Amino acid sequence: MVTIGDIAKEANVSKTTVSRVLNNSSLVDENTRQKITELIEKYNYVPSTIARNLSKRESSTIGVIIPEIDNPFFGEMLRGIMDTMEQVGLTVMCFNSGDKKEKDMKALAILRQNGIKGLIYTPAIDYSGNEEQSMLKKWLQSLDSPVVVVDRELEFLQNADGVFFDNELAAYKATEALIQSGHKKIAIINAELDRILARERQRGYERALKEHNIEVNDKYIFLGDYTENKAYQLSKQCLNLEEKPTAVLTCNNNTTMGFFRAKKEIGIEDSEIVCIGFDNIKALEFFDINFNYIERSVYSMGKKAADLLLQRIKNPDQPRIKYIIEPKLVIKHI
């Protein structure tokens, strides 16, 4: 890792001068300030307040970055992580990226500054571009700590352990179950396909249709952003079609809530259109809704990620571990 001394040496100034630039002191002339600032940006240098005097091995903090703090999926996953870390006396420092790359980077900068023992990370975006991948790799390497990726796989991070769900198989099984119950007009409410999760779920949906000789009809495909409000808007479009679908696959719990909100507003009965969604939503039980869902033990995913990180901390040279969770359908009425 680049130190304040490295910056000072390359700029041919004292460490005090670099420190003054970092603290926005007016005691540094503009030319020197610009030279030091350019070096700080070049090396992606972040001053450390804790890790400067404390090695990573001595840190008792685990970093967690999740993309949607308001999504019950990630709340339950975080509970699994925290329960596991508390048992071994480690503190969890959690950040919410809001699915924004900039917030991912800000969280990584703060974690690097404070010094962490390891990181559990669900990426905000796919990081599909070469420049984005290079930037993320640089930030993760600068942590000098093991990383476990959860839920959203980044294939270019070949050394990171991971806990993932078989999204394609889940969507395939759900769509196939609907087909086997006699449904042919099956809609999907998904996210835009620039997201890896959306692509995987879309592949499973379309594969099931094709294997059962059912046309993949664009009018039954609705792509949004996995938020409840967007799903509500898309669901209204779907449910107002002249030739309505008889079944719908909703691709996350926010999407499911948006769908049921639209369904209730329009006044469509459960018998008119059925739904299978990703993840259980306990609140729906209070309204006697026969909700069909794809079950994945999210709490267990969090615990598994925490266990993998603890294993990696103890055995840094062990082979990479990639854990895949298979889906289970919970069908009440289709």
Side-chain angles (χ1 to χ4, degrees):
M1 294 176 63
V2 174
T3 67
I4 194 171
D6 297 327
I7 299 291
K9 184 176 180 180
E10 188 162 340
N12 198 26
V13 297
S14 67
K15 288 191 283 188
T16 301
T17 302
V18 177
S19 180
R20 285 173 176 164
V21 171
L22 291 167
N23 290 295
N24 296 315
S25 170
S26 60
L27 300 176
V28 182
D29 69 77
E30 193 55 39
N31 288 337
T32 303
R33 181 186 301 278
Q34 184 174 350
K35 181 197 288 186
I36 293 171
T37 300
E38 288 174 354
L39 287 171
I40 289 170
E41 292 176 353
K42 174 183 175 182
Y43 292 113
N44 206 21
Y45 174 71
V46 178
S48 174
T49 55
I50 296 176
R52 194 162 32 206
N53 301 312
L54 191 67
S55 74
K56 296 290 185 301
R57 292 182 184 276
E58 295 170 335
S59 174
S60 62
T61 301
I62 296 298
V64 177
I65 303 176
I66 56 176
E68 300 164 6
I69 194 69
D70 57 340
N71 186 331
F73 173 90
F74 290 106
E76 188 70 1
M77 186 181 85
L78 183 59
R79 192 168 68 87
I81 294 170
M82 295 184 73
D83 285 354
T84 303
M85 293 306 176
E86 284 175 5
Q87 291 174 6
V88 294
L90 295 176
T91 302
V92 174
M93 183 184 292
C94 182
F95 294 84
N96 174 43
S97 70
D99 286 313
K100 297 185 184 302
K101 173 181 65 178
E102 295 76 15
K103 289 190 176 182
D104 254 7
M105 297 303 106
K106 184 176 180 181
L108 289 169
I110 295 171
L111 289 170
R112 173 184 164 181
Q113 182 177 357
N114 283 273
I116 56 172
K117 201 174 189 73
L119 173 66
I120 297 175
Y121 176 46
T122 301
I125 63 171
D126 282 1
Y127 292 95
S128 55
N130 291 334
E131 187 175 332
E132 288 179 336
Q133 291 179 9
S134 177
M135 174 182 64
L136 181 61
K137 282 181 180 179
K138 183 186 293 185
W139 274 107
L140 292 175
Q141 288 169 358
S142 75
L143 294 175
D144 195 26
S145 303
V147 178
V148 174
V149 181
V150 187
D151 190 45
R152 304 178 181 180
E153 186 172 9
L154 298 176
E155 293 182 354
F156 63 91
L157 295 180
Q158 298 178 352
N159 296 323
D161 296 320
V163 179
F164 308 107
F165 181 70
D166 196 331
N167 290 283
E168 182 174 344
L169 181 60
Y172 175 86
K173 282 188 169 184
T175 307
E176 185 177 56
L178 291 169
I179 293 168
Q180 290 173 344
S181 292
H183 296 281
K184 294 184 178 180
K185 299 174 184 176
I186 304 170
I188 183 170
I189 302 175
N190 200 356
E192 294 288 350
L193 302 184
D194 57 353
R195 303 187 186 199
I196 186 169
L197 295 186
R199 291 195 298 273
E200 290 172 347
R201 293 167 187 177
Q202 191 72 22
R203 281 199 301 266
Y205 162 79
E206 293 188 7
R207 180 161 65 91
L209 293 177
K210 290 174 182 176
E211 287 186 9
H212 289 83
N213 299 313
I214 298 174
E215 177 188 3
V216 177
N217 195 328
D218 288 345
K219 75 177 181 180
Y220 292 140
I221 296 174
F222 297 87
L223 306 180
D225 58 9
Y226 284 159
T227 64
E228 182 179 333
N229 283 335
K230 184 63 176 179
Y232 163 74
Q233 296 167 12
L234 294 174
S235 297
K236 286 209 301 184
Q237 294 175 30
C238 174
L239 297 174
N240 282 315
L241 286 171
E242 184 174 342
E243 190 177 0
K244 293 181 179 60
T246 61
V248 175
L249 174 64
T250 54
C251 287
N252 82 336
N253 44 25
N254 286 332
T255 303
T256 301
M257 291 301 292
F259 169 76
F260 277 103
R261 181 176 146 203
K263 185 166 169 276
K264 181 180 178 182
E265 183 180 295
I266 294 171
I268 295 177
E269 298 295 329
D270 287 347
S271 58
E272 295 180 60
I273 186 167
V274 300
C275 173
I276 298 181
F278 272 73
D279 300 322
N280 188 20
I281 300 176
K282 294 181 180 179
L284 294 178
E285 296 175 6
F286 295 108
F287 299 98
D288 293 324
I289 295 174
N290 288 322
F291 176 51
N292 312 293
Y293 59 92
I294 299 160
E295 184 177 69
R296 46 184 178 165
S297 178
V298 186
Y299 179 82
S300 297
M301 286 180 71
K303 285 187 65 65
K304 187 66 179 179
D307 288 339
L308 282 183
L309 185 60
L310 294 174
Q311 286 180 41
R312 178 62 59 186
I313 290 169
K314 290 181 180 178
N315 303 293
D317 297 323
Q318 72 179 11
R320 182 197 181 205
I321 299 174
K322 180 178 175 180
Y323 190 78
I324 305 293
I325 295 174
E326 291 198 359
K328 175 186 174 183
L329 290 184
V330 178
I331 302 298
K332 298 179 181 179
H333 172 69
I334 56 174

